[in-house]
Amino acid sequence: EVSLRTIYRDIDKLCEAGVPISSTGGKGGGYSLMENYSVDNLFFNKNEFGAVMAVVDNLKLLFGKNHQFNDIMLKFEKTSEKEKLDKDRLVINMSHFSMEEELKEYLAVINKAIEDKRLLSFSYINRKMQDEERLVEPEYISFSQGHWSLIAYCKIRSAYRRFKLVRMRNLKLGEPFAKRTLKRDEIQTLFKEDYYSKSIRVALKFNGRIGAQLKEHFMEKNISLCEDGSYLAVDYFPHDEGLVKFILSFGKECQVAEPEYLREEVKSYLAEMLGSYK
């Protein structure tokens, strides 16, 4: 109950995927897989598919209001039920403890804005703890380092920005817009350039006690062991209050080695903290 055009298109897709198709002309002819060819390696085995389903199940909770994702989910679930998969060996949770319901709603709204090429407006708490109104052209959604973010062109800043969903409030759909031509890797390049333009080189010294945990926070190539048993981590960070808070999150295990003016900023910040306890 399909057209010849559909058949030809599907055969072309199989060939593009690397499946060797043979054809036989004349009466009783048609298409078939080449003799002795197995398609097993093109598909997931039960263990692999179970791992995929663990991820998909979590995304279902977050993208439950997205009709396109629901269509994909339905196909996965039918296969899962048929194969009686064990999905309990891998548990994944990509929600946020403080805004689980809002996250579902925001992802649904953002997905619709991306699909329909519509502006988004919202209130946003920036790195300086300031509440600002933003109007953006959404590009894509990102999940990185435990945070969901919207990558978008900010019409107020006239630049691409990354907005954490947890800092958004009053998210609303706006008018349609013409999509820009920049590709995703080009946007990422802009982000890197902007990050390093605002960053300073920081060297942090850690005592040996915390050394084994440093890979949770720094690239291994940026960590070195000193002769006295301490560790030195060197990296680039934006020079703002967030950097001081990051340093203080290590407590007494860490001190600033360089630059000197950052050491003074940390000392001043600690003095202000002590003042609030008097």
Side-chain angles (χ1 to χ4, degrees):
E1 299 179 349
V2 296
S3 67
L4 279 175
R5 181 181 296 177
T6 299
I7 297 294
Y8 293 144
R9 184 185 62 206
D10 291 346
I11 293 297
D12 286 342
K13 289 294 182 185
L14 285 170
C15 292
E16 288 175 8
V19 179
I21 302 293
S22 63
S23 62
T24 306
K27 187 177 180 179
Y31 294 101
S32 62
L33 293 177
M34 289 185 68
E35 191 175 357
N36 299 324
Y37 177 75
S38 171
V39 297
D40 290 347
N41 290 336
L42 290 176
F43 302 97
F44 295 115
N45 60 38
K46 280 190 176 182
N47 290 335
E48 292 168 339
F49 195 76
V52 171
M53 280 303 299
V55 178
V56 172
D57 278 347
N58 185 258
L59 291 176
K60 180 184 177 183
L61 296 174
L62 299 173
F63 288 87
K65 297 180 181 179
N66 184 290
H67 67 86
Q68 187 177 33
F69 187 79
N70 284 341
D71 291 341
I72 298 171
M73 271 299 305
L74 187 61
K75 295 174 183 178
F76 272 98
E77 286 174 347
K78 284 183 177 178
T79 305
S80 177
E81 292 170 3
K82 181 180 177 181
E83 298 295 336
K84 298 179 181 179
L85 298 175
D86 178 13
K87 299 178 290 184
D88 297 331
R89 291 180 300 159
L90 180 64
V91 178
I92 298 174
N93 187 347
M94 290 186 283
S95 63
H96 193 280
F97 74 93
S98 69
M99 57 174 295
E100 189 165 334
E101 290 305 315
E102 292 96 329
L103 185 57
K104 295 178 188 178
E105 181 183 342
Y106 286 6
L107 288 172
V109 173
I110 293 171
N111 266 293
K112 182 168 182 58
I114 294 172
E115 288 176 8
D116 297 345
K117 297 181 178 62
R118 293 174 62 180
L119 297 172
L120 284 170
S121 63
F122 50 88
S123 299
Y124 192 73
I125 304 296
N126 64 19
R127 291 174 64 90
K128 297 179 180 178
M129 308 295 182
Q130 298 167 335
D131 196 348
E132 299 178 326
E133 295 299 318
R134 297 296 182 102
L135 182 66
V136 306
E137 300 172 4
E139 282 286 340
Y140 61 92
I141 298 170
S142 168
F143 182 79
S144 178
Q145 298 180 351
H147 288 285
W148 288 96
S149 300
L150 166 66
I151 311 303
Y153 182 85
C154 178
K155 297 180 74 68
I156 296 174
R157 293 286 184 269
S158 298
Y160 284 94
R161 291 287 186 267
R162 181 183 287 106
F163 301 98
K164 289 183 179 179
L165 268 61
V166 73
R167 296 185 183 180
M168 290 182 180
R169 295 292 182 271
N170 304 318
L171 182 65
K172 296 177 182 177
L173 284 170
E175 298 295 320
F177 69 94
K179 188 174 175 62
R180 296 173 188 271
T181 58
L182 229 59
K183 297 179 180 178
R184 188 172 300 182
D185 57 347
E186 294 174 318
I187 295 173
Q188 288 299 321
T189 299
L190 289 177
F191 282 155
K192 288 180 181 179
E193 292 173 352
D194 182 64
Y195 180 87
Y196 284 108
S197 70
K198 298 175 181 176
S199 297
I200 59 173
R201 181 181 180 276
V202 177
L204 301 176
K205 188 173 183 179
F206 296 87
N207 62 33
R209 180 170 171 266
I210 198 176
Q213 299 177 16
L214 292 181
K215 287 189 288 186
E216 296 179 23
H217 308 279
F218 303 93
M219 299 285 288
E220 190 169 6
K221 65 180 181 180
N222 296 335
I223 305 169
S224 58
L225 177 63
C226 303
E227 291 183 0
D228 61 359
S230 63
Y231 289 83
L232 194 68
V234 181
D235 209 339
Y236 286 83
F237 299 92
H239 187 202
D240 56 25
E241 186 178 350
L243 173 56
V244 175
K245 290 180 178 179
F246 172 71
I247 294 168
L248 293 179
S249 69
F250 294 103
K252 63 182 180 180
E253 316 290 345
C254 170
Q255 63 171 295
V256 178
E258 296 176 4
E260 183 62 33
Y261 61 81
L262 183 59
R263 285 177 62 91
E264 295 303 318
E265 289 176 17
V266 173
K267 287 164 65 176
S268 297
Y269 197 93
L270 283 169
E272 289 184 31
M273 285 182 62
L274 286 172
S276 64
Y277 282 90
K278 288 183 180 178

